[in-house]
Amino acid sequence: MTHDGFIPVAAPDLGGNEKAYVLDCLDSTWISSSGKYLDRFEAGFAEFCGARHAVACSNGTTALHLALAALGVGPGDEVIVPTLTFVATANTVTYCGAQPVFVDAEPDTWTIDPASLEARITPRTKGIIVVHLFGHPADMAAINAVARRHGLFVLEDAAQAHGAECRGRRAGALGDIATFSFFGNKIITTGEGGMVVTDDDAVAGRMRLLRTHGMDPTRRYWHPVIGYNYRMTNLAAAIGLAQLERVEWQLERRREIAAWYREELGQTDAVTCQAEKPWARHVWWMFSVLVSEGAAGRDSVMEAMRRRGIDTRPVVHPLHTLPPYADANRTQRFPVAEAIAGNGINLPTWAGLTREQVRIVCDALLECVAAVKTA
Ligand SMILES: *Cc1c(COP(=O)(O)O)cnc(C)c1O
């Protein structure tokens, strides 16, 4: 996991049945996009989320695209998206020919602000995408209430939040539909992979159709709609099933690591940790803090930590600042997201981290912040 004491920001753990299941795929020649591991991974993941259907696909981005396409999002529609998220959340709205409409973040959880959401709804709005950022669930009670009032769908982009809970219910069962990523640095991984979960039979059926070239399942090579090839392989699902068998262990480890970070950093006002609301179960995909020095100071802190062999990541740029989206959003203001993006650092968070490594990271962080303050 670590080389010469280097502490990475993320690292997968493949210590379960991954190897045995992959070898079974090779031995049986079931390496393409059907097989028992796909069936078992989909069924197991649906059960994990408490949802009726799980549709496996090639990554978290195609999961979002499948979900939006199956919900009927198309040209002329608007979809509300938090500006503080990974770019794929908005890009997939754009793939559908629709327009992402950005909303600011809440200052403590960093997720979409329900209070500023309603003002962005227009007659063209079709739905709301919430993102459980870094593993903290969005405030679903408030968001679902707004959505019901306006007849909008709610899609959870849960790429970073496998197992997160809001008032005792799991991500995947908190809105109308939810998407997950199994990229190498996510809470569980298949290398590359994604999943959409929903209770809606018709939407699940449309996603299965779109996932495999829009081919009628009862009539070979008859394609009533234009679909995609967004399938997952049985090989990837074999890794995913082994990961799913140990997901509760992953979540326990991350919870313990977050508690260590809070023990080390909770008392100082040199940094502010992302909150965990009383109604939420944060799954700590990335334990994250804010400094108060602004982007230049934050970047020097990260550079100084890297020189000490500790890898970190800056919080993403808000999407309204990126070239493809900046022009349409010039007149909008997103001060909370900009402050979080400018001051935010993701700290190393992965299952194998030790108490000692967390102490090393926190000592380095506090010393590097102090050095920037006096510089
Ligand atoms: C990782 C991620 C995605 C995209 O997932 P890929 O599997 O990399 O395509 C989408 N949304 C969010 C919030 C993510 O963190």
Side-chain angles (χ1 to χ4, degrees), residues 59-61 64 85-86 88-89 131 157 159-160 181 183 186 193:
N59 58 60
T61 305
L64 280 163
T85 178
F86 182 63
T89 317
V131 179
D157 180 348
Q160 308 178 348
S181 166
F183 184 63
K186 298 292 162 83

Side-chain angles (χ1 to χ4, degrees), residues 69-215:
L71 291 166
V73 172
D77 294 335
E78 294 175 355
V79 176
I80 290 178
V81 174
T83 189
L84 196 64
T85 178
F86 182 63
V87 69
T89 317
N91 283 351
T92 48
V93 173
T94 311
Y95 296 169
C96 294
Q99 195 189 332
V101 172
F102 296 122
V103 168
D104 205 358
E106 286 197 298
D108 49 357
T109 68
W110 311 357
T111 59
I112 191 167
D113 178 16
S116 44
L117 208 159
E118 207 146 11
R120 303 289 275 148
I121 294 171
T122 76
R124 291 171 173 257
T125 311
K126 275 266 324 215
I128 303 166
I129 306 182
V130 302
V131 179
H132 306 318
L133 199 72
F134 305 136
H136 192 294
D139 184 354
M140 298 306 291
I143 291 154
N144 282 330
V146 174
R148 266 195 300 276
R149 253 196 319 277
H150 295 271
L152 308 177
F153 70 74
V154 176
L155 188 168
E156 303 170 68
D157 180 348
Q160 308 178 348
H162 318 64
E165 288 175 18
C166 187
R167 298 175 176 87
R169 296 190 64 169
R170 274 218 166 132
L174 300 172
D176 298 299
I177 192 164
T179 63
F180 293 83
S181 166
F182 306 116
F183 184 63
N185 69 7
K186 298 292 162 83
I187 289 179
I188 60 173
T189 184
T190 59
E192 293 273 6
M195 192 79 83
V196 193
V197 308
T198 183
D199 284 340
D200 188 318
D201 300 346
V203 169
R206 273 201 296 284
M207 292 192 295
R208 290 184 188 284
L209 183 76
L210 293 171
R211 175 176 64 174
T212 188
H213 301 291
M215 186 164 81

